[in-house]
């Protein structure tokens, strides 16, 4: 951990899942401004069209003109082929000049929040949700850590985009809460196992999630009141706080940090 805030994140290889829209897209933009020339952004999501538009945007930015390399990997991370395509692209982009690997595990789905827990009787439905939101996240992280091994002078950071739902129950959000809680524990274990890694679970608590439909009227009113009071942040405002955390690099590895704690 550093004693003072860094000015940049080094010559980095950044792998961002769910990069085509929302928070993931904002993370890609912000990271592009904080890495040194010669850095590489691997952007993955299911929507190739949205990824390509982001690639064009970043290529035309100041960072792009200064030597930032951007590679899009359209992939379904719930499938083994999708995981392998991201790992292969990352391995190919990894070189002796890279001094910081940053993995942002942002890809996730909300699940059906219009129903209560007792309605989830279909094992295939639940398995499908957990496959994308837990299993693929674990397997991608493990494969990338193997493909991009530690070496002298290399910092490796793993960021899990999480939620208050990982810590507290929200009625009608059984799948989402379960997935977030499982992922968070997974990364806490990873931090304990590998003290050389910098592991962070960051909760952005954004408008886009809070405004989602829910079966619980009390929760719906809470979200509505928070939105009306301006208590829900935009992706840009929340991402700025994440970038500050990464630059300061003073968090305890494995910690859960909520945007409203900053």
């Amino acid at each position: 951990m550093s004693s003072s805030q860094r000015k940049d994140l080094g010559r980095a290889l950044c792998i961002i899942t769910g990069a085509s829209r929302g928070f993931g897209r904002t993370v890609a933009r912000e990271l592009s401004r904080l890495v040194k020339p010669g850095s590489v952004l691997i952007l993955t999501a299911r929507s190739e069209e949205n990824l390509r538009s982001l690639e064009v945007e970043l290529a035309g930015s100041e960072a792009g003109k200064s030597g930032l390399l951007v590679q899009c990997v359209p992939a379904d991370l719930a499938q083994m082929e999708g995981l392998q395509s991201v790992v292969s692209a990352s391995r190919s982009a990894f070189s002796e000049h890279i001094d910081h690997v940053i993995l942002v595990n942002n890809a996730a789905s909300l699940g059906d929040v219009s129903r209560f827990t007792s309605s989830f009787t279909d094992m295939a439905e639940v398995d499908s949700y957990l496959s994308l939101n837990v299993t693929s996240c674990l397997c991608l992280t493990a494969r990338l850590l193997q493909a991009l091994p530690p070496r002298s002078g290399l910092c490796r950071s793993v960021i899990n985009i999480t939620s208050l739902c990982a810590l507290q129950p929200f009625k009608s959000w059984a799948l989402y809460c379960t997935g977030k809680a499982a992922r968070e524990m997974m990364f806490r274990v990873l931090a304990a196992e590998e003290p050389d890694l910098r592991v962070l679970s960051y909760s952005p608590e954004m408008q886009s999630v809070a405004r989602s439909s829910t079966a619980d009227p009390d929760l719906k009113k809470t979200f509505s009141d928070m939105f009306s009071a301006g208590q829900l942040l935009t992706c840009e405002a929340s991402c700025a706080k994440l970038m500050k955390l990464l630059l300061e690099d003073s968090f305890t590895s494995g910690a859960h940090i909520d945007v409203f704690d900053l």
Side-chain angles (χ1 to χ4, degrees):
M1 294 185 292
S2 62
S3 57
S4 61
Q5 182 170 313
R6 298 176 290 191
K7 294 181 179 179
D8 59 64
L9 295 171
R11 186 169 289 107
L13 169 58
C14 306
I15 304 105
I16 306 166
T17 70
S20 63
R21 59 191 178 92
F23 193 69
R25 193 179 184 97
T26 304
V27 167
R29 290 183 180 126
E30 293 302 316
L31 282 177
S32 73
R33 300 183 180 113
L34 293 177
V35 296
K36 289 183 176 180
S39 295
V40 183
L41 263 60
I42 304 291
L43 309 177
T44 184
R46 284 179 290 188
S47 172
E48 181 172 2
E49 181 180 356
N50 289 345
L51 285 178
R52 296 301 177 195
S53 69
L54 178 57
E55 180 181 27
V56 170
E57 174 188 330
L58 295 178
S61 68
E62 183 178 344
K65 295 174 182 177
S66 299
L68 174 72
L69 302 176
V70 181
Q71 182 174 353
C72 296
V73 184
D76 181 354
L77 297 183
Q79 302 298 320
M80 187 61 70
E81 296 81 3
L83 289 183
Q84 192 53 49
S85 64
V86 176
V87 173
S88 296
S90 302
R91 184 186 289 114
S92 297
F94 190 51
S95 72
E96 61 182 8
H97 304 295
I98 297 295
D99 56 29
H100 196 175
V101 171
I102 304 173
L103 169 60
V104 182
N105 282 298
N106 173 67
S109 62
L110 187 61
D112 189 345
V113 294
S114 67
R115 296 154 55 194
F116 292 106
T117 305
S118 59
S119 72
F120 290 101
T121 58
D122 185 345
M123 290 181 64
E125 178 187 7
V126 177
D127 286 346
S128 176
Y129 181 84
L130 294 177
S131 177
L132 171 62
N133 290 277
V134 180
T135 306
S136 71
C137 181
L138 169 58
C139 293
L140 178 63
T141 300
R143 284 170 173 256
L144 285 170
L145 291 176
Q146 291 179 9
L148 313 172
R151 66 167 186 242
S152 178
L154 177 67
C155 176
R156 298 188 301 168
S157 301
V158 179
I159 314 302
N160 170 43
I161 303 305
T162 188
S163 167
L164 181 62
C165 293
L167 307 178
Q168 297 181 13
F170 284 71
K171 288 184 285 186
S172 81
W173 287 40
L175 292 181
Y176 190 71
C177 289
T178 298
K180 289 300 186 184
R183 277 171 61 147
E184 188 143 334
M185 180 52 72
M186 177 183 77
F187 285 108
R188 288 176 61 189
V189 171
L190 177 62
E193 291 174 342
E194 303 200 30
D196 64 301
L197 292 176
R198 302 291 291 134
V199 181
L200 172 66
S201 286
Y202 178 69
S203 175
E205 307 301 356
M206 302 163 300
Q207 292 178 2
S208 56
V209 173
R211 294 177 72 184
S212 302
S213 109
T214 174
D216 181 56
D218 293 334
L219 187 57
K220 185 179 296 186
K221 183 178 186 305
T222 297
F223 286 157
S224 178
D225 291 346
M226 290 177 68
F227 181 75
S228 298
Q231 296 175 338
L232 298 173
L233 298 179
T234 63
C235 290
E236 290 74 17
S238 186
C239 189
K241 295 193 175 189
L242 172 59
M243 296 301 113
K244 189 172 186 291
L245 280 172
L246 296 180
L247 288 169
E248 290 175 345
D249 195 28
S250 60
F251 57 85
T252 301
S253 189
H256 171 115
I257 298 180
D258 190 284
V259 65
F260 293 118
D261 294 332
L262 301 173

